Amino acid sequence: MTLQDAGAWIIQRLTPVFGEDEARAISRWLLEYFSSDRKMPASLYRNRDLPQEAEALLPGYLARLEQHEPLQYVLGEAWFCGLRFTADKRALIPRPETEELVEWIISEQKFPLSNRSVLDIGTGTGCIPITLKRRLQPFTVTGIDVSKDALDLARQNAQQLGVEVNFQQIDILDESQWSLLLPVDIVVSNPPYIPAAEIKNMNAEVTGFEPHLALFVPDTDPLLFYRKIAQLGLRLLKPQGEIYLELHHDGAAGTTKLFREAGYKTLIRPDMQGKERMLKAWK
């Protein structure tokens, strides 16, 4: 079977589940994954034979995709800011919106870099602190999460990508654990922010496979994590310290109000789609 034949088979199998456009996108992703050189244009490798190992794996991959398992979990990898992260059900799949948040932080650092400190709250795969450490090497970077499984995955990714990040198992909602954290220059977080009522409107790829602990908050308190982060920042931030947050797509106004009432100045930044998805706060 050539890669071109494999691509046609993938599209045929997945179109009834995802529609033709998304099936074609998944096919391209899989063919790039199976090809020896991902940078090579498809037109140059499509007549190559599908590797025997890939031909053996492909039916199982397609069966999992037909059950709406995310492609990143099927392949065991997700790309973030040009870095390959191991991805599985222990943590959320890194998103492009979070890449924009990280790039915003990096763009605001003054060079030459000094030894500043960063705390990432709800670290998941470790994509935020690992990327920051790779790009801002003098920085001291810490990632915390309530999930031991997620922290195990984050440590695995840090080792694979050759960086030193301090990971700690801390529940940010438990204020008695805040004393375990040292003062920092930057706090960053992509916390849980989706009201539980929205579950019924979300894709099965998300609700059926990604950890709900990292996604959802009570309908009665959708700003729960932002309020805790604002309170923690008042204790933990060094002078001129800053907080960078990813937001729910319609949460900018409420989160801004919360931080301003806590004594912060704030700035909202839209993502590439023009949605108000990022907030910076400082004392």
Side-chain angles (χ1 to χ4, degrees):
M1 179 186 293
T2 66
L3 285 165
Q4 185 173 11
D5 293 335
W9 183 44
I10 293 167
I11 293 168
Q12 181 183 27
R13 283 277 300 267
L14 298 184
T15 293
V17 181
F18 299 103
E20 185 175 352
D21 289 345
E22 188 169 353
R24 288 185 179 278
I26 294 172
S27 174
R28 286 193 296 270
W29 196 334
L30 283 169
L31 293 186
E32 289 174 3
Y33 177 80
F34 288 132
S35 70
S36 58
D37 186 352
R38 296 189 183 196
K39 296 181 180 180
M40 183 182 296
S43 60
L44 297 181
Y45 67 65
R46 62 186 181 184
N47 290 322
R48 292 183 176 182
D49 288 334
L50 184 69
Q52 289 185 352
E53 180 182 0
E55 191 166 348
L57 290 172
L58 187 55
Y61 284 4
L62 293 180
R64 292 168 66 184
L65 289 166
E66 287 171 330
Q67 296 301 313
H68 294 279
E69 185 172 351
L71 180 58
Q72 292 91 335
Y73 288 167
V74 172
L75 300 182
E77 67 174 30
W79 290 84
F80 185 86
C81 291
L83 301 174
R84 179 193 175 277
F85 286 81
T86 295
D88 59 37
K89 296 178 183 180
R90 289 176 286 179
L92 292 183
I93 298 166
R95 261 62 171 193
E97 296 86 357
T98 311
E99 289 186 326
E100 294 183 57
L101 183 69
V102 169
E103 294 293 350
W104 187 15
I105 295 172
I106 293 170
S107 71
E108 296 208 323
Q109 305 313 304
K110 296 180 180 179
F111 292 81
L113 298 172
S114 58
N115 184 16
R116 304 187 76 201
S117 51
V118 180
L119 171 66
D120 174 42
I121 297 173
T123 202
T125 60
C127 62
I128 292 177
I130 291 169
T131 302
L132 289 173
K133 184 63 177 177
R134 287 271 300 216
R135 301 275 292 277
L136 305 170
Q137 294 185 15
F139 281 34
T140 299
V141 183
T142 299
I144 65 172
D145 205 296
V146 69
S147 168
K148 179 184 181 299
D149 289 341
L151 289 169
D152 288 343
L153 177 60
R155 291 188 181 100
Q156 177 183 341
N157 278 319
Q159 182 177 17
Q160 290 173 176
L161 291 166
V163 298
E164 291 187 10
V165 174
N166 175 37
F167 291 108
Q168 295 176 254
Q169 186 175 10
I170 291 178
D171 181 359
I172 195 64
L173 301 182
D174 182 356
E175 295 184 19
S176 68
Q177 297 185 33
W178 292 1
S179 61
L180 301 172
L181 298 169
L182 298 175
V184 293
D185 297 290
I186 297 172
V187 171
V188 57
S189 184
N190 175 23
Y193 54 66
I194 302 173
E198 293 187 17
I199 294 177
K200 60 181 181 295
N201 299 320
M202 298 179 67
N203 292 335
E205 286 85 353
V206 176
T207 60
F209 294 92
E210 297 196 72
H212 286 204
L213 182 66
L215 287 167
F216 299 108
V217 289
D219 294 328
T220 56
D221 195 4
L223 298 180
L224 170 62
F225 283 88
Y226 297 105
R227 186 172 62 255
K228 291 293 186 180
I229 291 169
Q231 294 168 356
L232 176 63
L234 295 176
R235 297 191 193 184
L236 209 63
L237 283 178
K238 296 179 182 180
Q240 288 78 53
E242 301 161 326
I243 298 175
Y244 293 84
L245 300 168
E246 186 170 326
L247 307 177
H248 188 278
H249 61 82
D250 63 0
T255 312
T256 295
K257 182 174 183 290
L258 184 155
F259 273 86
R260 287 182 177 174
E261 289 178 349
Y264 293 87
K265 296 181 180 179
T266 63
L267 174 66
I268 291 291
R269 182 165 177 166
D271 64 14
M272 292 182 66
Q273 297 180 359
K275 297 180 179 179
E276 295 182 326
R277 293 294 306 277
M278 294 175 280
L279 178 143
K280 175 183 174 182
W282 65 98
K283 295 187 291 185

PDB file of all heavy atoms in Angstrom, residues 15-43:
ATOM      1  N   THR A  15     -14.646   9.944   6.679  1.00  0.00           N
ATOM      2  CA  THR A  15     -15.627  10.933   6.203  1.00  0.00           C
ATOM      3  C   THR A  15     -17.012  10.749   6.830  1.00  0.00           C
ATOM      4  O   THR A  15     -17.640  11.741   7.224  1.00  0.00           O
ATOM      5  CB  THR A  15     -15.719  10.898   4.669  1.00  0.00           C
ATOM      6  OG1 THR A  15     -14.472  11.359   4.123  1.00  0.00           O
ATOM      7  CG2 THR A  15     -16.841  11.805   4.169  1.00  0.00           C
ATOM      8  N   PRO A  16     -17.527   9.514   6.983  1.00  0.00           N
ATOM      9  CA  PRO A  16     -18.846   9.376   7.618  1.00  0.00           C
ATOM     10  C   PRO A  16     -18.878   9.869   9.061  1.00  0.00           C
ATOM     11  O   PRO A  16     -19.945  10.238   9.567  1.00  0.00           O
ATOM     12  CB  PRO A  16     -19.109   7.864   7.552  1.00  0.00           C
ATOM     13  CG  PRO A  16     -18.258   7.376   6.430  1.00  0.00           C
ATOM     14  CD  PRO A  16     -17.031   8.223   6.471  1.00  0.00           C
ATOM     15  N   VAL A  17     -17.733   9.895   9.717  1.00  0.00           N
ATOM     16  CA  VAL A  17     -17.666  10.302  11.126  1.00  0.00           C
ATOM     17  C   VAL A  17     -17.427  11.800  11.259  1.00  0.00           C
ATOM     18  O   VAL A  17     -18.065  12.478  12.067  1.00  0.00           O
ATOM     19  CB  VAL A  17     -16.555   9.525  11.863  1.00  0.00           C
ATOM     20  CG1 VAL A  17     -16.488   9.935  13.334  1.00  0.00           C
ATOM     21  CG2 VAL A  17     -16.774   8.027  11.731  1.00  0.00           C
ATOM     22  N   PHE A  18     -16.502  12.343  10.447  1.00  0.00           N
ATOM     23  CA  PHE A  18     -16.049  13.718  10.637  1.00  0.00           C
ATOM     24  C   PHE A  18     -16.424  14.671   9.507  1.00  0.00           C
ATOM     25  O   PHE A  18     -16.264  15.885   9.664  1.00  0.00           O
ATOM     26  CB  PHE A  18     -14.521  13.745  10.791  1.00  0.00           C
ATOM     27  CG  PHE A  18     -14.015  12.982  11.973  1.00  0.00           C
ATOM     28  CD1 PHE A  18     -13.441  11.730  11.825  1.00  0.00           C
ATOM     29  CD2 PHE A  18     -14.102  13.513  13.247  1.00  0.00           C
ATOM     30  CE1 PHE A  18     -12.963  11.017  12.915  1.00  0.00           C
ATOM     31  CE2 PHE A  18     -13.628  12.816  14.346  1.00  0.00           C
ATOM     32  CZ  PHE A  18     -13.066  11.562  14.177  1.00  0.00           C
ATOM     33  N   GLY A  19     -16.905  14.155   8.401  1.00  0.00           N
ATOM     34  CA  GLY A  19     -17.080  14.989   7.220  1.00  0.00           C
ATOM     35  C   GLY A  19     -15.806  14.978   6.395  1.00  0.00           C
ATOM     36  O   GLY A  19     -14.711  14.697   6.901  1.00  0.00           O
ATOM     37  N   GLU A  20     -15.943  15.287   5.093  1.00  0.00           N
ATOM     38  CA  GLU A  20     -14.806  15.116   4.190  1.00  0.00           C
ATOM     39  C   GLU A  20     -13.647  16.048   4.506  1.00  0.00           C
ATOM     40  O   GLU A  20     -12.473  15.638   4.480  1.00  0.00           O
ATOM     41  CB  GLU A  20     -15.246  15.335   2.740  1.00  0.00           C
ATOM     42  CG  GLU A  20     -14.132  15.058   1.739  1.00  0.00           C
ATOM     43  CD  GLU A  20     -14.591  15.149   0.303  1.00  0.00           C
ATOM     44  OE1 GLU A  20     -15.818  15.271   0.080  1.00  0.00           O
ATOM     45  OE2 GLU A  20     -13.726  15.088  -0.593  1.00  0.00           O
ATOM     46  N   ASP A  21     -13.916  17.306   4.828  1.00  0.00           N
ATOM     47  CA  ASP A  21     -12.824  18.260   5.060  1.00  0.00           C
ATOM     48  C   ASP A  21     -11.960  17.836   6.241  1.00  0.00           C
ATOM     49  O   ASP A  21     -10.728  17.821   6.151  1.00  0.00           O
ATOM     50  CB  ASP A  21     -13.379  19.665   5.300  1.00  0.00           C
ATOM     51  CG  ASP A  21     -13.946  20.287   4.032  1.00  0.00           C
ATOM     52  OD1 ASP A  21     -13.654  19.762   2.943  1.00  0.00           O
ATOM     53  OD2 ASP A  21     -14.672  21.287   4.148  1.00  0.00           O
ATOM     54  N   GLU A  22     -12.600  17.484   7.342  1.00  0.00           N
ATOM     55  CA  GLU A  22     -11.818  17.084   8.513  1.00  0.00           C
ATOM     56  C   GLU A  22     -11.139  15.740   8.274  1.00  0.00           C
ATOM     57  O   GLU A  22     -10.005  15.515   8.732  1.00  0.00           O
ATOM     58  CB  GLU A  22     -12.697  17.025   9.759  1.00  0.00           C
ATOM     59  CG  GLU A  22     -11.897  16.800  11.039  1.00  0.00           C
ATOM     60  CD  GLU A  22     -12.710  16.995  12.299  1.00  0.00           C
ATOM     61  OE1 GLU A  22     -13.881  17.436  12.207  1.00  0.00           O
ATOM     62  OE2 GLU A  22     -12.180  16.705  13.379  1.00  0.00           O
ATOM     63  N   ALA A  23     -11.799  14.839   7.549  1.00  0.00           N
ATOM     64  CA  ALA A  23     -11.173  13.551   7.235  1.00  0.00           C
ATOM     65  C   ALA A  23      -9.901  13.749   6.413  1.00  0.00           C
ATOM     66  O   ALA A  23      -8.895  13.072   6.635  1.00  0.00           O
ATOM     67  CB  ALA A  23     -12.154  12.658   6.488  1.00  0.00           C
ATOM     68  N   ARG A  24      -9.959  14.682   5.467  1.00  0.00           N
ATOM     69  CA  ARG A  24      -8.761  14.980   4.662  1.00  0.00           C
ATOM     70  C   ARG A  24      -7.656  15.565   5.532  1.00  0.00           C
ATOM     71  O   ARG A  24      -6.471  15.257   5.361  1.00  0.00           O
ATOM     72  CB  ARG A  24      -9.106  15.931   3.525  1.00  0.00           C
ATOM     73  CG  ARG A  24      -9.918  15.285   2.414  1.00  0.00           C
ATOM     74  CD  ARG A  24     -10.132  16.220   1.235  1.00  0.00           C
ATOM     75  NE  ARG A  24     -10.893  15.573   0.184  1.00  0.00           N
ATOM     76  CZ  ARG A  24     -10.366  14.756  -0.717  1.00  0.00           C
ATOM     77  NH1 ARG A  24      -9.056  14.523  -0.718  1.00  0.00           N
ATOM     78  NH2 ARG A  24     -11.127  14.195  -1.642  1.00  0.00           N
ATOM     79  N   ALA A  25      -8.015  16.443   6.477  1.00  0.00           N
ATOM     80  CA  ALA A  25      -7.017  17.035   7.363  1.00  0.00           C
ATOM     81  C   ALA A  25      -6.355  15.956   8.227  1.00  0.00           C
ATOM     82  O   ALA A  25      -5.131  15.940   8.416  1.00  0.00           O
ATOM     83  CB  ALA A  25      -7.661  18.102   8.242  1.00  0.00           C
ATOM     84  N   ILE A  26      -7.164  15.035   8.748  1.00  0.00           N
ATOM     85  CA  ILE A  26      -6.615  13.944   9.558  1.00  0.00           C
ATOM     86  C   ILE A  26      -5.725  13.053   8.697  1.00  0.00           C
ATOM     87  O   ILE A  26      -4.658  12.601   9.141  1.00  0.00           O
ATOM     88  CB  ILE A  26      -7.749  13.123  10.195  1.00  0.00           C
ATOM     89  CG1 ILE A  26      -8.516  13.982  11.215  1.00  0.00           C
ATOM     90  CG2 ILE A  26      -7.192  11.866  10.862  1.00  0.00           C
ATOM     91  CD1 ILE A  26      -9.770  13.317  11.750  1.00  0.00           C
ATOM     92  N   SER A  27      -6.145  12.811   7.457  1.00  0.00           N
ATOM     93  CA  SER A  27      -5.345  11.990   6.553  1.00  0.00           C
ATOM     94  C   SER A  27      -3.972  12.614   6.323  1.00  0.00           C
ATOM     95  O   SER A  27      -2.944  11.926   6.388  1.00  0.00           O
ATOM     96  CB  SER A  27      -6.078  11.820   5.216  1.00  0.00           C
ATOM     97  OG  SER A  27      -5.264  11.153   4.284  1.00  0.00           O
ATOM     98  N   ARG A  28      -3.951  13.922   6.078  1.00  0.00           N
ATOM     99  CA  ARG A  28      -2.658  14.591   5.868  1.00  0.00           C
ATOM    100  C   ARG A  28      -1.778  14.457   7.105  1.00  0.00           C
ATOM    101  O   ARG A  28      -0.572  14.208   7.006  1.00  0.00           O
ATOM    102  CB  ARG A  28      -2.883  16.065   5.519  1.00  0.00           C
ATOM    103  CG  ARG A  28      -3.406  16.296   4.106  1.00  0.00           C
ATOM    104  CD  ARG A  28      -3.302  17.760   3.715  1.00  0.00           C
ATOM    105  NE  ARG A  28      -4.152  18.604   4.560  1.00  0.00           N
ATOM    106  CZ  ARG A  28      -5.426  18.896   4.282  1.00  0.00           C
ATOM    107  NH1 ARG A  28      -5.992  18.400   3.190  1.00  0.00           N
ATOM    108  NH2 ARG A  28      -6.122  19.687   5.067  1.00  0.00           N
ATOM    109  N   TRP A  29      -2.388  14.640   8.280  1.00  0.00           N
ATOM    110  CA  TRP A  29      -1.632  14.552   9.529  1.00  0.00           C
ATOM    111  C   TRP A  29      -1.049  13.151   9.699  1.00  0.00           C
ATOM    112  O   TRP A  29       0.133  12.980  10.058  1.00  0.00           O
ATOM    113  CB  TRP A  29      -2.554  14.885  10.690  1.00  0.00           C
ATOM    114  CG  TRP A  29      -1.883  15.201  11.999  1.00  0.00           C
ATOM    115  CD1 TRP A  29      -0.661  14.777  12.422  1.00  0.00           C
ATOM    116  CD2 TRP A  29      -2.409  15.998  13.062  1.00  0.00           C
ATOM    117  NE1 TRP A  29      -0.393  15.236  13.687  1.00  0.00           N
ATOM    118  CE2 TRP A  29      -1.448  15.990  14.106  1.00  0.00           C
ATOM    119  CE3 TRP A  29      -3.604  16.683  13.250  1.00  0.00           C
ATOM    120  CZ2 TRP A  29      -1.648  16.661  15.306  1.00  0.00           C
ATOM    121  CZ3 TRP A  29      -3.800  17.351  14.450  1.00  0.00           C
ATOM    122  CH2 TRP A  29      -2.839  17.347  15.451  1.00  0.00           C
ATOM    123  N   LEU A  30      -1.858  12.124   9.437  1.00  0.00           N
ATOM    124  CA  LEU A  30      -1.376  10.755   9.586  1.00  0.00           C
ATOM    125  C   LEU A  30      -0.277  10.428   8.575  1.00  0.00           C
ATOM    126  O   LEU A  30       0.714   9.770   8.911  1.00  0.00           O
ATOM    127  CB  LEU A  30      -2.544   9.777   9.427  1.00  0.00           C
ATOM    128  CG  LEU A  30      -3.483   9.650  10.621  1.00  0.00           C
ATOM    129  CD1 LEU A  30      -4.736   8.871  10.229  1.00  0.00           C
ATOM    130  CD2 LEU A  30      -2.783   8.953  11.789  1.00  0.00           C
ATOM    131  N   LEU A  31      -0.437  10.878   7.332  1.00  0.00           N
ATOM    132  CA  LEU A  31       0.586  10.595   6.327  1.00  0.00           C
ATOM    133  C   LEU A  31       1.900  11.278   6.672  1.00  0.00           C
ATOM    134  O   LEU A  31       2.980  10.716   6.472  1.00  0.00           O
ATOM    135  CB  LEU A  31       0.103  11.026   4.949  1.00  0.00           C
ATOM    136  CG  LEU A  31      -1.079  10.242   4.374  1.00  0.00           C
ATOM    137  CD1 LEU A  31      -1.348  10.682   2.944  1.00  0.00           C
ATOM    138  CD2 LEU A  31      -0.845   8.737   4.445  1.00  0.00           C
ATOM    139  N   GLU A  32       1.831  12.492   7.211  1.00  0.00           N
ATOM    140  CA  GLU A  32       3.045  13.171   7.651  1.00  0.00           C
ATOM    141  C   GLU A  32       3.693  12.406   8.804  1.00  0.00           C
ATOM    142  O   GLU A  32       4.918  12.279   8.882  1.00  0.00           O
ATOM    143  CB  GLU A  32       2.723  14.602   8.084  1.00  0.00           C
ATOM    144  CG  GLU A  32       2.374  15.526   6.930  1.00  0.00           C
ATOM    145  CD  GLU A  32       1.931  16.902   7.404  1.00  0.00           C
ATOM    146  OE1 GLU A  32       1.956  17.143   8.633  1.00  0.00           O
ATOM    147  OE2 GLU A  32       1.574  17.734   6.566  1.00  0.00           O
ATOM    148  N   TYR A  33       2.856  11.906   9.690  1.00  0.00           N
ATOM    149  CA  TYR A  33       3.357  11.140  10.831  1.00  0.00           C
ATOM    150  C   TYR A  33       4.073   9.869  10.371  1.00  0.00           C
ATOM    151  O   TYR A  33       5.129   9.506  10.908  1.00  0.00           O
ATOM    152  CB  TYR A  33       2.182  10.786  11.749  1.00  0.00           C
ATOM    153  CG  TYR A  33       2.546   9.931  12.937  1.00  0.00           C
ATOM    154  CD1 TYR A  33       3.114  10.498  14.077  1.00  0.00           C
ATOM    155  CD2 TYR A  33       2.293   8.564  12.936  1.00  0.00           C
ATOM    156  CE1 TYR A  33       3.440   9.718  15.178  1.00  0.00           C
ATOM    157  CE2 TYR A  33       2.607   7.772  14.037  1.00  0.00           C
ATOM    158  CZ  TYR A  33       3.181   8.356  15.150  1.00  0.00           C
ATOM    159  OH  TYR A  33       3.497   7.579  16.237  1.00  0.00           O
ATOM    160  N   PHE A  34       3.500   9.203   9.362  1.00  0.00           N
ATOM    161  CA  PHE A  34       4.068   7.945   8.901  1.00  0.00           C
ATOM    162  C   PHE A  34       5.214   8.121   7.909  1.00  0.00           C
ATOM    163  O   PHE A  34       5.969   7.178   7.664  1.00  0.00           O
ATOM    164  CB  PHE A  34       2.990   7.077   8.251  1.00  0.00           C
ATOM    165  CG  PHE A  34       2.017   6.482   9.229  1.00  0.00           C
ATOM    166  CD1 PHE A  34       0.656   6.556   8.992  1.00  0.00           C
ATOM    167  CD2 PHE A  34       2.459   5.844  10.367  1.00  0.00           C
ATOM    168  CE1 PHE A  34      -0.250   5.996   9.885  1.00  0.00           C
ATOM    169  CE2 PHE A  34       1.570   5.280  11.264  1.00  0.00           C
ATOM    170  CZ  PHE A  34       0.207   5.361  11.029  1.00  0.00           C
ATOM    171  N   SER A  35       5.338   9.303   7.310  1.00  0.00           N
ATOM    172  CA  SER A  35       6.400   9.505   6.326  1.00  0.00           C
ATOM    173  C   SER A  35       7.729   9.698   7.043  1.00  0.00           C
ATOM    174  O   SER A  35       7.799  10.093   8.196  1.00  0.00           O
ATOM    175  CB  SER A  35       6.109  10.722   5.447  1.00  0.00           C
ATOM    176  OG  SER A  35       6.230  11.922   6.189  1.00  0.00           O
ATOM    177  N   SER A  36       8.799   9.452   6.349  1.00  0.00           N
ATOM    178  CA  SER A  36      10.122   9.553   6.971  1.00  0.00           C
ATOM    179  C   SER A  36      10.555  10.994   7.156  1.00  0.00           C
ATOM    180  O   SER A  36      11.421  11.279   7.976  1.00  0.00           O
ATOM    181  CB  SER A  36      11.157   8.812   6.108  1.00  0.00           C
ATOM    182  OG  SER A  36      11.182   9.355   4.796  1.00  0.00           O
ATOM    183  N   ASP A  37      10.003  11.902   6.375  1.00  0.00           N
ATOM    184  CA  ASP A  37      10.392  13.317   6.451  1.00  0.00           C
ATOM    185  C   ASP A  37       9.138  14.163   6.444  1.00  0.00           C
ATOM    186  O   ASP A  37       8.512  14.383   5.421  1.00  0.00           O
ATOM    187  CB  ASP A  37      11.287  13.687   5.272  1.00  0.00           C
ATOM    188  CG  ASP A  37      11.844  15.109   5.386  1.00  0.00           C
ATOM    189  OD1 ASP A  37      11.404  15.844   6.304  1.00  0.00           O
ATOM    190  OD2 ASP A  37      12.712  15.464   4.578  1.00  0.00           O
ATOM    191  N   ARG A  38       8.761  14.684   7.606  1.00  0.00           N
ATOM    192  CA  ARG A  38       7.515  15.437   7.718  1.00  0.00           C
ATOM    193  C   ARG A  38       7.569  16.769   6.977  1.00  0.00           C
ATOM    194  O   ARG A  38       6.532  17.358   6.691  1.00  0.00           O
ATOM    195  CB  ARG A  38       7.184  15.690   9.191  1.00  0.00           C
ATOM    196  CG  ARG A  38       6.907  14.416   9.963  1.00  0.00           C
ATOM    197  CD  ARG A  38       6.368  14.744  11.328  1.00  0.00           C
ATOM    198  NE  ARG A  38       6.173  13.522  12.102  1.00  0.00           N
ATOM    199  CZ  ARG A  38       5.454  13.439  13.194  1.00  0.00           C
ATOM    200  NH1 ARG A  38       4.875  14.514  13.666  1.00  0.00           N
ATOM    201  NH2 ARG A  38       5.320  12.312  13.843  1.00  0.00           N
ATOM    202  N   LYS A  39       8.770  17.256   6.709  1.00  0.00           N
ATOM    203  CA  LYS A  39       8.891  18.536   6.016  1.00  0.00           C
ATOM    204  C   LYS A  39       8.751  18.383   4.503  1.00  0.00           C
ATOM    205  O   LYS A  39       8.659  19.367   3.784  1.00  0.00           O
ATOM    206  CB  LYS A  39      10.231  19.192   6.357  1.00  0.00           C
ATOM    207  CG  LYS A  39      10.359  19.547   7.839  1.00  0.00           C
ATOM    208  CD  LYS A  39      11.689  20.215   8.126  1.00  0.00           C
ATOM    209  CE  LYS A  39      11.814  20.577   9.599  1.00  0.00           C
ATOM    210  NZ  LYS A  39      13.109  21.236   9.903  1.00  0.00           N
ATOM    211  N   MET A  40       8.744  17.151   4.019  1.00  0.00           N
ATOM    212  CA  MET A  40       8.652  16.910   2.583  1.00  0.00           C
ATOM    213  C   MET A  40       7.217  17.115   2.108  1.00  0.00           C
ATOM    214  O   MET A  40       6.280  16.633   2.737  1.00  0.00           O
ATOM    215  CB  MET A  40       9.106  15.484   2.262  1.00  0.00           C
ATOM    216  CG  MET A  40       9.112  15.161   0.763  1.00  0.00           C
ATOM    217  SD  MET A  40       9.592  13.447   0.466  1.00  0.00           S
ATOM    218  CE  MET A  40      11.268  13.471   1.093  1.00  0.00           C
ATOM    219  N   PRO A  41       7.005  17.851   1.009  1.00  0.00           N
ATOM    220  CA  PRO A  41       5.649  18.031   0.483  1.00  0.00           C
ATOM    221  C   PRO A  41       4.990  16.695   0.164  1.00  0.00           C
ATOM    222  O   PRO A  41       5.644  15.747  -0.279  1.00  0.00           O
ATOM    223  CB  PRO A  41       5.869  18.852  -0.798  1.00  0.00           C
ATOM    224  CG  PRO A  41       7.194  19.507  -0.613  1.00  0.00           C
ATOM    225  CD  PRO A  41       8.016  18.566   0.210  1.00  0.00           C
ATOM    226  N   ALA A  42       3.686  16.625   0.388  1.00  0.00           N
ATOM    227  CA  ALA A  42       2.953  15.379   0.165  1.00  0.00           C
ATOM    228  C   ALA A  42       3.095  14.881  -1.271  1.00  0.00           C
ATOM    229  O   ALA A  42       3.126  13.677  -1.522  1.00  0.00           O
ATOM    230  CB  ALA A  42       1.482  15.571   0.513  1.00  0.00           C
ATOM    231  N   SER A  43       3.194  15.810  -2.210  1.00  0.00           N
ATOM    232  CA  SER A  43       3.283  15.418  -3.617  1.00  0.00           C
ATOM    233  C   SER A  43       4.541  14.600  -3.910  1.00  0.00           C
ATOM    234  O   SER A  43       4.588  13.853  -4.887  1.00  0.00           O
ATOM    235  CB  SER A  43       3.266  16.667  -4.506  1.00  0.00           C
ATOM    236  OG  SER A  43       4.364  17.513  -4.191  1.00  0.00           O
TER     237      SER A  43
END
